[in-house]
Amino acid sequence: MENTIFSILPPIIAIVMVLLTRRVLLSLGTGIVAAAVILTWFAPIDALQELVKSFTIIFWDEGFNAYNVFIILFLLLLGIITAFVSLSGGSHAFAEWASTRIKSRRGAKVLTVVLGIVIFIDDYFNALAVGQVARPITDRYKVSRAKLAYFIDSTAAPVCVISPVSSWGAAIIGIVATILAGQTFVEYSALEAFLWMAPMNFYVVASLAIVFFVAIRDVDFGEMKKHEVLAITKGQLFDPKKTIPGEMKEEFPSHSYGHVRDLLLPILLLIVGTVGAMFWTGYQNAGQVFDIWLIFENTDVPASLLAGGILGALTSIILYVLQMKKNETATVGWIGKGIWAGLKSMIGAVLILVFAWSLTSLIGSLETGAYLAGVVSDGNIPTSILPVLLFVLAGIMAFSTGTSWGSFGILLPIAGTIMIEAEPSLLLPALSAVLAGAVFGDHCSPISDTTILSSTGAGSNHMDHVLTQIPYALTAAVIAAIGYIVIGLTGSLLLSLGTVALVLAVLFIVWSRRTTIIEKQQNA
């Protein structure tokens, strides 16, 4: 049943179940079982073997699977950093310090968005690091964890996918170079093509514009409005009855010895360690050639995250140990408790990630992505609507498979082949549409690893994040689709960008006329 319509059933089952039950592990588990059963033509013993294999290869795939294991270890280290930042009083001290500079709820939200854009090296790193820095400030100003997760998720991948100096950019440039190789009509390099594609990524343009507007004007609707009302009126940042990955369950002793450095120094060294390791591993893997694009194309992101995580965790523990001289509550016993509390806080996120990887592996064996791609490539479709069609298809593929990388990895070469043969002038818009759709689908997918990590970084319930982000993502997607229709019909980047800007302007005017939650409270 590989590469057939049946291959889309497991992700559909998992997604429908998770939306109906909001029980992520149960839903992912059901999708995994369904995928194994369909893959083996309903043979119970073979299905069980496929199940075991799908989990085994997460850790051992013809050798030690360092990529996945290092990501898991990084998550656990992040939990330890969070625990000791709280234990040392760093979170409280940072919130107190920030209150003297960030004077409003709006300022806390805008700061989060800016941090999400500035930290563009890698989406995994962005999702987790921004949450650690911004959470104490947004908590203080009663910004719901669901909105914090939205800010993180909707700035991480969108910025990474248009930045050439990122793990995403390096990979995309490499794929584009393969597509352009041997094409005599091409007058630009892969890097130049990538830079031209950035303003054609209308989903990124719309998504970032909406994020900034929401941060400034408090435009809330649907599930997000419920979370924001509870945060503002009752101080309930998240539902305490739901599982919150990364949330400390341990009651740490309170004291007044914490300093801002107890939070900032571990995060700063985590950033420095990660970025430094990315440069070093990229430099080594590129044959010790100092070429910035080559370095980022060959960098080892998981190993770099692990290196930065170890440095950050050790720093947070050392800072706590240094408090022992003047803080009577700081004892050796709390070091072990802090480590254990940090590890426990990340178990939920790790389990969700492992289940999502297992499902992704089985979906790959079913060739779900290849089937969806074939829907377009086998059809007799007018070239003018191919950009918007590729955008929609990439969105469906990323939503169904939970991976934007897998989606554009499959679709970019197919889109390139189609456009080179059918309409070379629309090659770059079509490739950009694939990237845009992959990010859009990833934003909406409850089985996406970056969505899971954004929930973890923000300390938000995973399904709360998914359901609150979808309306904003869909809004940006509709605007992006309009842009791709215009560029497909006219071939004009300026006209399509102008159309996107006009639709955004009209939308913001309409939203501005709505009375926000805070304004209602002030006028009461």
Side-chain angles (χ1 to χ4, degrees), residues 60 93 97 102 148 170 180 305 354 412 432 435 471 477:
W60 191 269
W97 173 84
I102 305 297
L148 175 59
L180 298 181
L305 286 172
V354 168
L412 280 178
S432 188
L435 298 177

Side-chain angles (χ1 to χ4, degrees), residues 245-307:
E247 194 67 25
M248 294 294 109
K249 303 297 183 182
E250 191 80 39
E251 287 295 332
F252 295 138
S254 60
H255 58 80
S256 58
Y257 296 106
H259 296 88
V260 173
R261 68 166 182 265
D262 295 324
L263 180 141
L264 290 185
L265 193 56
I267 300 299
L268 177 62
L269 289 179
L270 183 148
I271 294 172
V272 171
T274 301
V275 175
M278 289 178 73
F279 272 96
W280 176 253
T281 57
Y283 177 71
Q284 293 297 320
N285 294 335
Q288 298 186 351
V289 176
F290 192 80
D291 182 317
I292 191 67
W293 314 115
L294 199 60
I295 286 173
F296 272 91
E297 183 180 348
N298 289 278
T299 191
D300 189 336
V301 174
S304 302
L305 286 172
L306 180 61

Side-chain angles (χ1 to χ4, degrees), residues 348-360:
V350 168
L351 287 175
I352 292 173
L353 198 57
V354 168
F355 273 52
W357 280 335
S358 173
L359 180 59
T360 300

Side-chain angles (χ1 to χ4, degrees), residues 1-3 7-12 14-15 28 31-32 35-36 39 54 355-372 397-403 410 445 447:
M1 297 187 183
E2 295 91 336
N3 198 5
S7 67
I8 68 174
L9 287 178
I12 289 175
I15 290 166
L28 287 173
I32 290 168
L39 184 62
S54 70
F355 273 52
W357 280 335
S358 173
L359 180 59
T360 300
S361 171
L362 290 167
I363 288 172
S365 298
L366 283 168
E367 299 181 24
T368 304
Y371 169 73
L372 291 172
M397 186 183 296
F399 180 79
S400 302
T401 61
T403 168
I410 292 171
S445 177
I447 61 174

Side-chain angles (χ1 to χ4, degrees), residues 299-435:
T299 191
D300 189 336
V301 174
S304 302
L305 286 172
L306 180 61
I310 291 172
L311 184 59
L314 288 175
T315 303
S316 66
I317 294 173
I318 290 171
L319 288 173
Y320 178 72
V321 171
L322 292 176
Q323 286 190 358
M324 290 183 182
K325 294 181 179 179
K326 58 181 180 179
N327 178 4
E328 63 276 4
T329 63
T331 63
V332 175
W334 274 106
I335 295 177
K337 292 179 181 178
I339 293 174
W340 179 237
L343 295 175
K344 286 195 301 181
S345 71
M346 288 296 173
I347 289 175
V350 168
L351 287 175
I352 292 173
L353 198 57
V354 168
F355 273 52
W357 280 335
S358 173
L359 180 59
T360 300
S361 171
L362 290 167
I363 288 172
S365 298
L366 283 168
E367 299 181 24
T368 304
Y371 169 73
L372 291 172
V375 172
V376 166
S377 59
D378 292 341
N380 186 18
I381 302 167
T383 56
S384 60
I385 67 168
L386 277 175
V388 69
L389 196 61
L390 287 166
F391 170 71
V392 173
L393 180 62
I396 294 172
M397 186 183 296
F399 180 79
S400 302
T401 61
T403 168
S404 49
W405 280 62
S407 301
F408 67 64
I410 292 171
L411 272 183
L412 280 178
I414 292 173
T417 301
I418 293 172
M419 299 315 298
I420 287 170
E421 294 294 328
E423 186 56 68
S425 65
L426 291 178
L427 173 62
L428 296 187
L431 297 181
S432 188
V434 169
L435 298 177

